[in-house]
Amino acid sequence: MGMIKAGSFRCLLMLTVCPLAVGAGSIPALAQSTTPAASSTAPADTTASSTAQAKHHAHKPVPHKTAHMRHHAAAGAGIGAMAASPAAASLGGSNASSTGIRTSPGAPDAGMATPAAADAGETVIVTGTRSLNKKARDSTSPIDVITNAALTRTGQPNLADQLSRTDPSVSILAMGQDTEALTSSIRLRGLNPNDVLVLIDGKRRHETSNIAADAGPDQGSTPVDIDMIPAAAIDHIEVLRDGAAAQYGSDAIAGVVNIIMKKGDSGGSASAFTGADAYNGDGWTYQLNADQGFSFGRDGYVHLGGALYHADSFVAPATDDRAAADNFPGNSNKILGVPEQTRETLSIDFGETLLPDLFGGVQGYGLITYGHRHAESYENYRTPGTLPEVWPNGFSPLETDEENDYAATLGVKADDFFGFHVDLSTTYGADQTNIGNKNTANVSLYQNGDPAYGLPAGFTPTTVLAQSQRNSQWTNNLDFTRPFTMWNTPMTLAFGAEERSEEYELGAGEPASYVLGGTQGFGGLLPANAGNFSRNVWATYLDYDVHPIRHLDIDIAGRFEHYTDFGNTWDGKISSRYDFTKWLAVRGTISNGTRAPTLAEENYSALNVSPTGASGILGVNSQAAASIGATPLKPERSTNASAGIVLQPLPNLSITTDVYQINIRDRIVGSLNVPGQTAITAIEETGATLAPNLTPSDVYANYFTNGASTRTQGLDINANYFTDFRNRNLGTVTWTAGIDLNRTRIHHVATDASGQSVLNAQGIAYLTTASPRSKIVLNAFWKIQKFDVDLRQTRYGQTTDEETYQDLAPASLQYSTTQFAQFVNTPVWVTDLEVGYQINKRLHIAIGGDDLFNERPRRLPADQAYLNVQYYDNVVSGAPITGGFYYGRLNVTW
């Protein structure tokens, strides 16, 4: 379904799966009410089915909202609908509290209409505020609330893709390069994934260990891999589109994505999904999802969720330009595509009131997640002449990822700890990846052997471990919150502290993976570059929310952090909102933020070996990197400003408009590639020995650096309109529109120790024009009797890149680092359609097509397409390269 905006999308948008209650802190979760968007789908018995019977720790039920409540004005920061609907319920929804208070879902009936009720702007939010009872309709910052049902209706099995399809401010790469293709990542407002903070139920989530090492707009990122969370266990997602470093700490420069898990103590759902690329005939995908709630003890709950996902490789057809001369089939090169992947994920969410008579009730809660991934990604085809003794017909190396991702949160909280709501928690999470090669060979080792390692000539492994990586994070939080009234003025005071330990480990590959130039496809990590790196972070914050006059809300936050490797940082934020009437409000924010370099950005190094060349990224703190101009990294520092208007000119129409500006100093980027003999010398200084048959102009090295200062300016417009035809044969339609206009400009480019610019025209383009200048998402969700139809039009705006001249270009231009070909990806409209049918109150089926008309990006000219195979610009975040995908889905709820 379309994207959802917090002030502009009050009670409908994305009709959620079943009644949803969202609580903040340990206050009682609010009972969820139906909305106009659900009026043709909600059950007839609104008391039993369309309200969530939220429970407080003392077992005091919260009265449900009746279906006859007035439709409130969406004065807030817009929110997606969290309404009950039988079709949505089939998609696996449940009630949820974001911090462990259990709620009990009702059982929806099918196909029954109910009058409009209170809008979802009444739902309590937990992102972007420390207040215990802040509602979405009153938010001072733009927040998108995207329901499980809306995500599911995108027809995308991966969460990163679902977010990109529903929220225009979220983007992903068309295709990752090398190991980057093995991990999902998201960008917010066109900024690097490292500038997006991801929370799970309000707790900081650990990052992946798999760094995006290759040149491009995501270079250096180790994002949170949100695909490692089982989709069935997710209730909804809150996306804060505002700088929030003062509230949550480092990484929140572009905004915050807070994933709220299901916490129902009964009921469950399951779904089966399958599909394939309709035009290519490959990329076959299937996914099985399930979740189930259980109750125990006094008021305890356990909610389990799990998913099994598999996707075959998608390969865009191409003819390798070497085929005729080297006598091999032209379609042998399969690098342009999406990796094969198998993924299993599991989550266990639980909680119970432990001491009901102490401090207003002491409650325990926790969340455990686990994910395993096996992925394989094609690299460029090696011709039959590369090593005919082992591969007489040539070979396609496969980069492989064997990954385990796990996390656990345990916490206790109380409602009345000497007047304060208190929350004490500890979270440990880690991601371990083993990067390997299959169908590979170390050509120089086979030809010459390496006596130093006891490796004889005439031998090469074809499967090898190239490197291991581990990223772990242990975070401890203590938070206090207290609403109170002084001088007849309502206020909320929040303060707390955080301690975080971070550790990054790099493990060397097997010797055959790195000696004499290493294995084809991905050279192994040398022992000299392996190591264990760590730091500690201590933080404290203060947040004060006050209503000095009736219609004015002011929120002031400040945060102090100490990094053991970078020293101290101070971040602040002030937000305000004024409601002129019930249908008109204005809001604004100004803040500053700091993002410390990740341990991976400081210490990662790697070597990639191509058929004729090699590329090395050197650890910025190493002597090898210093020899080509590297200097120690500094933190990124940002200043954010935004202003918005919230309107509801008609009872069923809501509109929000927000403008923003994000200035970032000392952005961490990949440096200019240093080519030729200088690169060869630097790489060899790491201890690597390159193969003798390389072309010097095809060998280059770089490092991470504070390369640029940028200014990102943008405009978000979101509109929501609900049509009730008041006719059973016509049903209802929810119309939504979202527009993100975004532009980044360079204000300063840094120089290295030798006075050379660290960015060329290509590097500047990665920062400024690789994300679409605009993205539009238009959505209509039509519910008519037992049928539902979801139609979405997405327009990806123009991107511009500076392309490297490749092997078919004139010799004077090949692989040049100073002369580039400007390439413009023109705007593309992509159409998605899903049609569903409610068989009965438990079963729902749907069929659909993503990119229905097989729209793809423009193809690169032959002289810019490496080997005439990589003919898409895969670093941009626009239309997908995979084209049309058709699928079917069966949903069961109980």
Side-chain angles (χ1 to χ4, degrees):
M1 172 95 184
M3 60 126 216
I4 296 219
K5 289 296 185 193
S8 51
F9 291 60
R10 48 178 189 164
C11 58
L12 44 105
L13 207 51
M14 306 203 171
L15 305 176
T16 143
V17 297
C18 61
L20 186 65
V22 179
S26 58
I27 62 171
L30 296 185
Q32 180 60 42
S33 59
T34 57
T35 72
S39 62
S40 68
T41 60
D45 183 356
T46 58
T47 301
S49 302
S50 67
T51 60
Q53 299 174 358
K55 297 183 180 179
H56 190 257
H57 69 275
H59 305 284
K60 296 179 180 179
V62 179
H64 67 272
K65 312 275 186 193
T66 70
H68 300 285
M69 290 185 66
R70 179 173 58 88
H71 192 301
H72 294 292
I79 192 166
M82 297 180 185
S85 83
S90 301
L91 303 179
S94 77
N95 306 294
S97 161
S98 66
T99 52
I101 302 300
R102 128 183 110 140
T103 58
S104 302
D109 297 322
M112 306 298 292
T114 189
D119 77 62
E122 291 296 326
T123 299
V124 174
I125 58 172
V126 295
T127 310
T129 179
R130 300 287 181 179
S131 297
L132 293 178
N133 58 353
K134 178 81 74 173
K135 300 182 176 65
R137 69 196 304 269
D138 302 321
S139 174
T140 57
S141 298
I143 298 178
D144 310 338
V145 180
I146 307 172
T147 66
N148 181 292
L151 295 168
T152 302
R153 284 198 299 269
T154 64
Q156 295 289 327
N158 292 316
L159 185 57
D161 296 305
Q162 292 174 349
L163 273 178
S164 177
R165 293 296 178 100
T166 53
D167 195 320
S169 65
V170 176
S171 60
I172 59 175
L173 285 181
M175 185 187 98
Q177 301 181 77
D178 289 316
T179 59
E180 181 184 8
L182 305 175
T183 300
S184 66
S185 65
I186 59 172
R187 280 186 272 173
L188 196 60
R189 291 181 162 176
L191 298 178
N192 189 282
N194 278 346
D195 294 323
V196 181
L197 176 64
V198 176
L199 309 174
I200 306 290
D201 282 342
K203 309 299 181 183
R204 176 183 282 264
R205 180 73 173 182
H206 65 278
E207 296 88 6
T208 181
S209 59
N210 187 22
I211 188 171
D214 289 329
D218 286 5
Q219 188 173 19
S221 65
T222 48
V224 172
D225 189 348
I226 60 176
D227 287 344
M228 285 298 201
I229 305 298
I234 296 172
D235 197 296
H236 68 281
I237 297 176
E238 298 178 3
V239 180
L240 172 64
R241 293 178 287 107
D242 201 2
Q247 296 167 292
Y248 299 105
S250 185
D251 309 344
I253 287 177
V256 177
V257 174
N258 190 5
I259 300 173
I260 308 299
M261 308 296 284
K262 295 178 182 178
K263 295 172 176 61
D265 67 348
S266 63
S269 64
S271 67
F273 171 97
T274 187
D277 184 274
Y279 295 86
N280 235 35
D282 59 1
W284 191 269
T285 300
Y286 68 81
Q287 185 173 41
L288 303 175
N289 298 292
D291 76 283
Q292 175 66 55
F294 303 92
S295 62
F296 69 92
R298 179 187 296 105
D299 63 350
Y301 74 91
V302 174
H303 204 100
L304 305 178
L308 171 63
Y309 166 84
H310 175 80
D312 292 336
S313 294
F314 163 84
V315 178
T319 300
D320 195 309
D321 62 35
R322 303 167 297 171
D326 292 329
N327 192 28
F328 65 88
N331 63 354
S332 298
N333 199 331
K334 301 178 181 180
I335 191 171
L336 187 62
V338 177
E340 177 184 346
Q341 182 179 160
T342 301
R343 188 175 66 239
E344 305 91 17
T345 53
L346 174 70
S347 71
I348 307 173
D349 206 322
F350 55 91
E352 187 186 24
T353 300
L354 305 175
L355 302 170
D357 300 321
L358 182 64
F359 300 132
V362 176
Q363 304 151 16
Y365 63 91
L367 172 66
I368 299 171
T369 65
Y370 172 74
H372 171 262
R373 171 190 283 122
H374 174 80
E376 299 182 355
S377 179
Y378 281 106
E379 293 303 301
N380 278 302
Y381 176 79
R382 271 53 176 178
T383 64
T386 303
L387 191 60
E389 298 88 344
V390 178
W391 299 103
N393 299 315
F395 60 102
S396 289
L398 287 167
E399 287 181 5
T400 64
D401 173 23
E402 203 69 43
E403 184 172 3
N404 288 288
D405 185 285
Y406 48 91
T409 294
L410 292 175
V412 292
K413 58 179 180 252
D415 285 344
D416 189 9
F417 183 77
F418 303 104
F420 285 87
H421 169 82
V422 62
D423 188 339
L424 174 64
S425 66
T426 183
T427 300
Y428 181 83
D431 181 78
Q432 168 79 41
T433 58
N434 291 327
I435 304 297
N437 285 338
K438 285 175 61 176
N439 300 342
T440 188
N442 186 324
V443 178
S444 295
L445 174 63
Y446 186 89
Q447 294 170 344
N448 305 307
D450 193 327
Y453 287 93
L455 299 173
F459 161 79
T460 177
T462 57
T463 299
V464 63
L465 174 66
Q467 68 181 34
S468 63
Q469 304 165 116
R470 188 175 186 274
N471 214 354
S472 64
Q473 182 175 280
W474 187 8
T475 306
N476 300 288
N477 294 93
L478 178 60
D479 302 293
F480 295 89
T481 307
R482 181 175 182 176
F484 61 98
T485 300
M486 183 179 295
W487 304 304
N488 294 321
T489 301
M491 307 176 184
T492 299
L493 176 67
F495 58 90
E498 178 179 285
E499 186 277 331
R500 187 168 76 250
S501 298
E502 299 177 349
E503 187 173 8
Y504 180 63
E505 299 177 26
L506 279 172
E510 297 171 359
S513 72
Y514 57 78
V515 299
L516 301 178
T519 43
Q520 295 287 308
F522 191 83
L525 187 74
L526 283 79
N529 295 329
N532 190 313
F533 315 95
S534 63
R535 69 179 175 206
N536 292 309
V537 185
W538 287 275
T540 184
Y541 72 88
L542 179 68
D543 197 322
Y544 178 62
D545 191 322
V546 61
H547 291 263
I549 58 178
R550 182 179 178 185
H551 298 294
L552 177 64
D553 181 17
I554 299 176
D555 194 329
I556 302 172
R559 190 180 188 94
F560 168 79
E561 292 188 328
H562 172 74
Y563 288 79
T564 54
D565 53 350
F566 288 103
N568 302 333
T569 69
W570 295 87
D571 299 321
K573 179 176 181 178
I574 180 168
S575 304
S576 63
R577 175 194 173 96
Y578 189 82
D579 290 85
F580 292 97
T581 68
K582 292 182 178 180
W583 58 269
L584 173 63
V586 296
R587 61 191 177 201
T589 298
I590 186 167
S591 65
N592 72 296
T594 305
R595 185 185 77 80
T598 65
L599 294 173
E601 287 172 323
E602 291 184 279
N603 299 288
Y604 182 79
S605 64
L607 177 67
N608 281 347
V609 181
S610 71
T612 59
S615 62
I617 184 166
L618 309 177
V620 67
N621 295 331
S622 68
Q623 180 57 42
S627 71
I628 58 173
T631 56
L633 292 176
K634 299 179 292 184
E636 295 182 349
R637 301 186 185 277
S638 69
T639 302
N640 294 47
S642 66
I645 300 174
V646 182
L647 294 169
Q648 190 187 13
L650 299 173
N652 288 336
L653 174 65
S654 57
I655 304 171
T656 61
T657 301
D658 293 278
V659 296
Y660 59 88
Q661 178 172 292
I662 307 170
N663 294 335
I664 306 179
R665 303 180 300 281
D666 298 321
R667 283 189 68 168
I668 298 172
V669 298
S671 75
L672 180 69
N673 285 326
V674 177
Q677 188 57 48
T678 303
I680 294 173
T681 301
I683 292 173
E684 288 177 341
E685 195 169 340
T686 68
T689 303
L690 295 174
N693 60 340
L694 299 179
T695 304
S697 61
D698 198 14
V699 178
Y700 52 91
N702 70 347
Y703 51 88
F704 293 117
T705 185
N706 298 102
S709 296
T710 63
R711 172 173 292 173
T712 299
Q713 296 172 311
L715 170 68
D716 289 330
I717 302 175
N718 300 282
N720 175 49
Y721 185 69
F722 175 73
T723 303
D724 187 349
F725 295 106
R726 302 187 182 279
N727 184 316
R728 179 178 177 85
N729 294 322
L730 296 177
T732 62
V733 181
T734 302
W735 312 88
T736 61
I739 303 174
D740 176 63
L741 307 178
N742 183 287
R743 179 181 65 187
T744 296
R745 291 178 173 175
I746 292 282
H747 276 235
H748 173 72
V749 176
T751 56
D752 61 22
S754 62
Q756 297 289 324
S757 173
V758 299
L759 290 178
N760 55 20
Q762 187 176 69
I764 291 173
Y766 289 154
L767 295 178
T768 58
T769 57
S771 289
R773 285 291 304 274
S774 63
K775 185 179 175 184
I776 303 173
V777 181
L778 307 176
N779 206 112
F781 180 66
W782 183 25
K783 179 67 182 176
I784 176 170
Q785 298 186 34
K786 292 187 176 183
F787 287 94
D788 53 270
V789 179
D790 192 79
L791 175 65
R792 180 172 50 257
Q793 285 283 132
T794 303
R795 182 187 185 272
Y796 297 93
Q798 176 178 302
T799 61
T800 305
D801 205 356
E802 299 290 331
E803 296 291 342
T804 301
Y805 285 103
Q806 302 292 349
D807 57 303
L808 291 182
S812 61
L813 294 176
Q814 287 182 9
Y815 315 122
S816 173
T817 60
T818 58
Q819 299 184 70
F820 302 96
Q822 187 176 89
F823 180 78
V824 176
N825 261 307
T826 53
V828 176
W829 283 96
V830 173
T831 303
D832 302 334
L833 175 67
E834 177 177 294
V835 178
Y837 180 76
Q838 194 74 38
I839 300 173
N840 56 44
K841 67 179 182 180
R842 303 301 183 195
L843 295 177
H844 179 269
I845 59 171
I847 57 173
D850 287 332
D851 194 358
L852 202 63
F853 303 113
N854 198 38
E855 295 291 338
R856 306 197 193 200
R858 285 185 60 206
R859 291 179 63 137
L860 292 168
D863 64 352
Q864 300 160 41
Y866 185 56
L867 303 178
N868 200 37
V869 172
Q870 294 179 301
Y871 53 76
Y872 289 135
D873 184 354
N874 57 5
V875 302
V876 302
S877 54
I881 69 170
T882 49
F885 179 85
Y886 286 65
Y887 63 89
R889 186 178 63 249
L890 172 65
N891 310 289
V892 184
T893 189
W894 54 84

